[in-house]
Amino acid sequence: MWDFEQGEVLAFDKPLHWTSFDLVAKVRYNLCRKLGTKKLKVGHTGTLDPLATGVVIICTGRKTKLIDKLQYDVKEYVATLQLGATTPSYDMEKGVDATYPTEHITRELIDSTIPQFLGEQWQVPPVFSAVQINGKRAYEYARKGEEVELKPKLLVIDEIEVLEFDPTQMLLTIRVVCSKGTYIRALARDIGERLNSGAYLKALRRTRVGDTRVEDCWTIDRFLEKLKD
């Protein structure tokens, strides 16, 4: 049986609209009730945006010491991009701010463009992100309408492939295996620019972290039921 104070590493399928912190808080609250304690170390190994679903690894007790190490595990995503438009947040958190021609976008163009993102890439993080600038998060500046300059970061994309392209709706679905620090929202932006158009993230699911796959994860409801045993 679990020993949450000595430490456990748990994998969850984060629900849509929850922050990673929401998930940690829910797990911590229920574990503290179960154990009859007011304090328990609980943390996650990598933030997932509220509009994304999928694998979030949570560590408890002494296993929280593993968080720094586990953050470097390779991650896999399935992302759906809306081509021909952009938003300030690069996803659906903000409304469309510009539209672009898409008549020139074909499956052949996509198939020749996507492989260009393999390997080491310099990526500028989204302004609506948790990147630290002068002690504040980038999104704090962005939400006040203040402009900030974000420096590009070096990352690695190990695998990227087209899963589906719907030319009638200009929806592109891709699978990406990448390193820590990769923003799939920013990748959507860059793909749109490389296609001489625009793009933003319409849906995102983290399907794997390290060797942990989403089909092996707990839903929060199943986990809370199991705690009652």
Side-chain angles (χ1 to χ4, degrees), residues 72-87:
Y72 286 91
D73 280 345
V74 167
K75 298 170 178 65
E76 178 186 72
Y77 298 89
V78 172
T80 299
L81 283 59
Q82 176 66 63
L83 306 181
T86 57
T87 74

Side-chain angles (χ1 to χ4, degrees), residues 8-222:
E8 298 288 348
V9 178
L10 305 165
F12 287 91
D13 183 354
K14 185 187 79 65
L16 187 65
H17 300 306
W18 285 39
T19 66
S20 299
F21 179 77
D22 290 337
L23 185 59
V24 168
K26 187 81 168 179
V27 170
R28 181 191 293 114
Y29 172 77
N30 282 277
L31 290 184
C32 285
R33 286 190 65 187
K34 172 80 172 179
L35 299 171
T37 183
K38 292 184 178 180
K39 282 189 177 182
L40 178 68
K41 285 186 176 181
V42 182
H44 66 78
T45 69
T47 301
L48 195 56
D49 288 339
L51 294 180
T53 63
V55 184
V56 172
I57 306 295
I58 287 181
C59 299
T60 76
R62 294 181 181 178
K63 291 287 180 72
T64 53
K65 294 177 181 178
L66 297 175
I67 287 176
D68 287 344
K69 177 177 178 286
L70 294 174
Q71 282 179 340
Y72 286 91
D73 280 345
V74 167
K75 298 170 178 65
E76 178 186 72
Y77 298 89
V78 172
T80 299
L81 283 59
Q82 176 66 63
L83 306 181
T86 57
T87 74
S89 57
Y90 310 150
D91 63 7
M92 295 180 66
E93 180 185 343
K94 299 292 180 180
V96 170
D97 60 357
T99 57
Y100 301 87
T102 57
E103 293 81 4
H104 64 287
I105 299 178
T106 62
R107 178 61 190 254
E108 290 73 25
L109 177 61
I110 289 170
D111 285 343
S112 64
T113 301
I114 292 300
Q116 297 173 21
F117 291 91
L118 266 174
E120 289 190 342
Q121 305 282 324
W122 286 97
Q123 184 186 80
V124 178
V127 291
F128 285 87
S129 68
V131 174
Q132 289 269 7
I133 304 172
N134 298 325
K136 292 173 65 176
R137 304 290 188 182
Y139 63 75
E140 295 180 61
Y141 294 99
R143 285 171 181 159
K144 292 179 181 177
E146 299 176 15
E147 289 191 15
V148 290
E149 184 179 351
L150 293 172
K151 296 179 180 179
K153 295 188 175 183
L154 186 64
L155 53 90
V156 178
I157 294 179
D158 296 307
E159 299 176 42
I160 184 168
E161 65 171 331
V162 177
L163 297 181
E164 187 178 356
F165 173 55
D166 180 353
T168 62
Q169 299 187 68
M170 279 292 149
L171 290 175
L172 171 63
T173 301
I174 58 174
R175 183 183 70 90
V176 182
V177 177
C178 56
S179 66
K180 176 184 183 293
T182 305
Y183 283 93
I184 306 298
R185 286 182 288 143
L187 178 62
R189 170 203 64 200
D190 296 343
I191 289 172
E193 290 177 356
R194 200 74 62 90
L195 290 170
N196 292 314
S197 184
Y200 66 88
L201 201 57
K202 195 153 190 182
L204 181 64
R205 186 154 176 77
R206 185 190 280 164
T207 50
R208 180 167 62 88
V209 173
D211 295 326
T212 303
R213 297 190 171 276
V214 70
E215 52 265 31
D216 302 321
C217 290
W218 291 97
T219 64
I220 187 63
D221 289 339
R222 277 184 56 234

